[in-house]
Amino acid sequence: MSWAVTEAASITVNLFDHDLRHMARFAVPLDDPQMNVRANGQLVAAGDKHQIVVLDHNGAVQWRSDWHRLGAAAGVDFDLDGDHILWVRLAGTKELVAIHATTGKEIHRTPLPGPEAAWFVHRPVDTWTGLALLHPDPSPAMLIGLDAEHIVLRPLVGHDLAGFSPAGHRYLTMALDGFLSVRDVTTDIVIAERHLEDLPNTPPGLACWRYLDRAVFLTDELILIAVSTADLPDDAEEHLLLSACSLRCRSQMRYPHPHRSGSIYPAQQPSRWLTRHHEEDLLRLWQLDGRLDDEPLPGQIALL
């Protein structure tokens, strides 16, 4: 997978590799800079309120389509997986559509009732992709995939789907009011489930943090979460490292640079994550020290 980053003032996409090295920059033939973009190792899918276009990594257009041709009245949620399948959630018709990303040919569509907003979650080990629908709480979540060119849906349980472990055997769910759980993908059995108020070994100074903004697996044993409190400004938060087996607090992250609310993003490689400084539009890639395991480790986590 590659990272695709848009520019606020132009209809332009920048591509980066896993080491955050700049690979390409090209204009996208859309009308609105407020576009959604997804990328894999060979293709980029970009969509605004009116249409979607798929390009290769040199910026050459492979195909494009107005949303209404797929049955959508306006911009929709979509994802591009590693097998070149473009997944599209049509809120108006309550359908999920699978499309060959290289040709634009529709493979299959299936009814998918529920709320309008949706988001997709990458699963690193196979062709299954996570999908969650926003509201009601807890959000309906599922694994989606293809079997003989037919869409297969497998429900997941818990709160909002946040991510999968690097090995793909566990999934992480979270709720804004502070509940966090780790479950087995095959059985949905709870491995660990806690509220922020009940995380063992949390530093005393963090007792007031009540809201869970984001959570990501870093390794099969470690989870990074962003927490905040309504008593502080919107850009105030802390990042905590937790054990994926017990949700015990391992450490409070202390960065050499400032960060802002909602800044954690999965990097799709074990031990790595991204932060974005919203005021500076600065993207940083972080990595845990390779010596880290799931034993108690006091103080600051070493960063490379």
Side-chain angles (χ1 to χ4, degrees), residues 144 202 221 233:
I144 60 175
T202 300
E221 293 79 29

Side-chain angles (χ1 to χ4, degrees), residues 128-159:
W128 289 92
T129 296
L131 172 63
L133 304 177
L134 183 61
H135 299 305
D137 188 23
S139 301
M142 65 203 73
L143 287 172
I144 60 175
L146 288 173
D147 184 8
E149 296 199 336
H150 280 73
I151 296 174
V152 179
L153 308 178
R154 210 214 92 182
L156 299 173
V157 300
H159 296 281

Side-chain angles (χ1 to χ4, degrees), residues 83-102:
D83 288 331
H84 306 317
I85 303 300
L86 181 69
W87 295 98
V88 180
R89 154 70 175 173
L90 301 176
T93 60
K94 307 294 184 183
E95 291 176 304
L96 179 67
V97 185
I99 299 171
H100 281 295
T102 52

Side-chain angles (χ1 to χ4, degrees), residues 137 159-160 173-180 196 210-213:
D137 188 23
H159 296 281
D160 296 342
T173 67
M174 54 170 277
L176 182 62
D177 59 1
F179 282 98
L180 188 69
L196 290 180
R210 292 292 179 269
Y211 294 93
L212 185 58
D213 296 325

